[in-house]
Amino acid sequence: MFKEYLKSIVIALLISFFIITFVVQAFYIPSGSMLPTLKPGDRIFANKFIYRFREPRRQEIIVFKWPVDPKRRFIKRLIGLPGDRVKIVEGQVYVNDKPLEEDYTLERSYTDFPEVKVPKGHYFMLGDNRNNSEDSRFWGFVPQENIVGKAFVIFWPLNRMGLIREEN
């Protein structure tokens, strides 16, 4: 009987390890940098396999290894794809000289940001709470290999459970 329990536990651990490594992973939101979309204390799942089949898309919310310290995980909205030119003028984000429609932000940025070109194999990320977000404006671009997964659902707290809104 003990052997059967042990076998079941080992199988459950192997399945859990496989799922966390390749399929989905839970993350905790510690700050208000993604308000109003994600709130401090939210717990979300990130899809870790989607980018094996397609490239990340503009305005998706992505979990990634922070370029400054890859042991830490950040979550931000993808604004600039490789080759894009990104700037902020009077609080309005422009991508390739076109204003980006963003009704998910808490408020427009108080500061301008000079135009940058996103290098090949990198992404430009911004928090939805532009005036309280440490993002690509401060530490630069996110290398493609740092991307962990696409945030897709809030599972805690229960009163906020649901799919994460990404686009306008």
Side-chain angles (χ1 to χ4, degrees):
M1 185 156 185
F2 174 74
K3 225 176 185 180
E4 288 179 30
Y5 283 128
L6 183 60
K7 182 180 176 183
S8 296
I9 291 170
V10 169
I11 290 171
L13 288 173
L14 289 174
I15 290 170
S16 297
F17 176 76
F18 175 80
I19 289 171
I20 289 170
T21 302
F22 299 108
V23 183
V24 297
Q25 187 172 353
F27 292 94
Y28 172 77
I29 307 303
S31 76
S33 71
M34 285 299 291
L35 284 168
T37 310
L38 299 173
K39 295 181 178 182
D42 282 353
R43 295 185 185 271
I44 60 114
F45 283 125
N47 179 332
K48 295 177 73 172
F49 69 89
I50 191 167
Y51 298 132
R52 296 180 192 275
F53 302 104
R54 68 166 179 81
E55 295 296 315
R57 296 177 183 153
R58 185 175 292 108
Q59 296 182 310
E60 288 183 333
I61 298 173
I62 296 179
V63 176
F64 55 92
K65 297 174 192 170
W66 187 33
V68 176
D69 179 3
K71 292 179 195 134
R72 294 183 60 195
R73 302 294 183 264
F74 272 34
I75 183 165
K76 304 289 178 196
R77 193 175 296 270
L78 191 156
I79 299 298
L81 300 166
D84 281 347
R85 290 175 291 110
V86 179
K87 65 183 173 183
I88 302 174
V89 178
E90 295 180 5
Q92 174 66 56
V93 175
Y94 291 85
V95 178
N96 301 323
D97 295 321
K98 295 179 183 169
L100 188 62
E101 212 175 298
E102 302 182 290
D103 63 355
Y104 45 73
T105 58
L106 187 61
E107 58 189 356
R108 286 182 167 209
S109 176
Y110 297 145
T111 59
D112 290 348
F113 184 76
E115 183 173 276
V116 294
K117 184 174 181 181
V118 183
K120 182 179 179 180
H122 290 77
Y123 299 93
F124 188 87
M125 307 290 197
L126 291 175
D128 288 357
N129 185 358
R130 299 287 155 78
N131 297 307
N132 188 24
S133 176
E134 188 174 319
D135 48 40
S136 286
R137 296 172 293 175
F138 301 98
W139 37 254
F141 306 105
V142 175
Q144 186 169 4
E145 61 268 13
N146 283 31
I147 291 180
V148 174
K150 177 182 179 291
F152 71 98
V153 70
I154 298 169
F155 70 88
W156 190 263
L158 294 177
N159 66 333
R160 290 191 33 81
M161 185 184 298
L163 295 177
I164 296 173
R165 180 172 170 242
E166 289 183 339
E167 299 174 11
N168 295 312

